Amino acid sequence: EVQLVESGGGLVQPGGSLNLSCVASGFTFSDYAMYWVRQSGARGLEWISTIENDGSRTYYSESVKGRFTISRDNAQNTVSLQLNDLKTRDTAMYYCARADRPGGDYRGFADRGQGTQVTVSS
């Protein structure tokens, strides 16, 4: 059974930082690209970032590029997201998700965790 458990969310002031982590189990983590996505009432489900299975390439949405950094540790089955210079519009539930197939030929994400809430407010 695929399990993805996110942590690290919280309440932070604008301009602040958070580090989100996701621990994966139930599959061969190093075979899959991993995603971070977020969901809020205002914008629905929004893709944020993807990292290739070997960590060689990373991709970001324009809304977070230059502020967020995705990384992974295949030895620890974890994927992380460093959030810097947070803005009120970053408020959302953040999820990590597994690519829909192993290797580099993925088309999207499939399973995702329960999420961790990030609230940016003064």
Side-chain angles (χ1 to χ4, degrees), residues 6 60 74 86 106:
E6 301 93 337
Y60 298 93
N74 284 349
L86 281 160
Y106 53 94

Side-chain angles (χ1 to χ4, degrees), residues 15-60:
S17 298
L18 286 172
N19 187 268
L20 308 184
S21 292
C22 171
V23 179
S25 61
F27 63 101
T28 303
F29 182 74
S30 59
D31 284 350
Y32 286 82
M34 295 295 295
Y35 287 70
W36 282 97
V37 299
R38 67 186 180 186
Q39 187 164 23
S40 67
R43 293 192 304 275
L45 191 64
E46 178 186 9
W47 169 74
I48 298 171
S49 184
T50 303
I51 186 166
E52 299 278 2
N53 64 307
D54 61 359
S56 60
R57 294 186 180 183
T58 58
Y59 311 93
Y60 298 93

Side-chain angles (χ1 to χ4, degrees), residues 34 36 49-51 58 60 68-72 79-81:
M34 295 295 295
W36 282 97
S49 184
T50 303
I51 186 166
T58 58
Y60 298 93
F68 292 7
T69 304
I70 191 170
S71 61
R72 68 188 294 158
V79 57
S80 300
L81 188 69

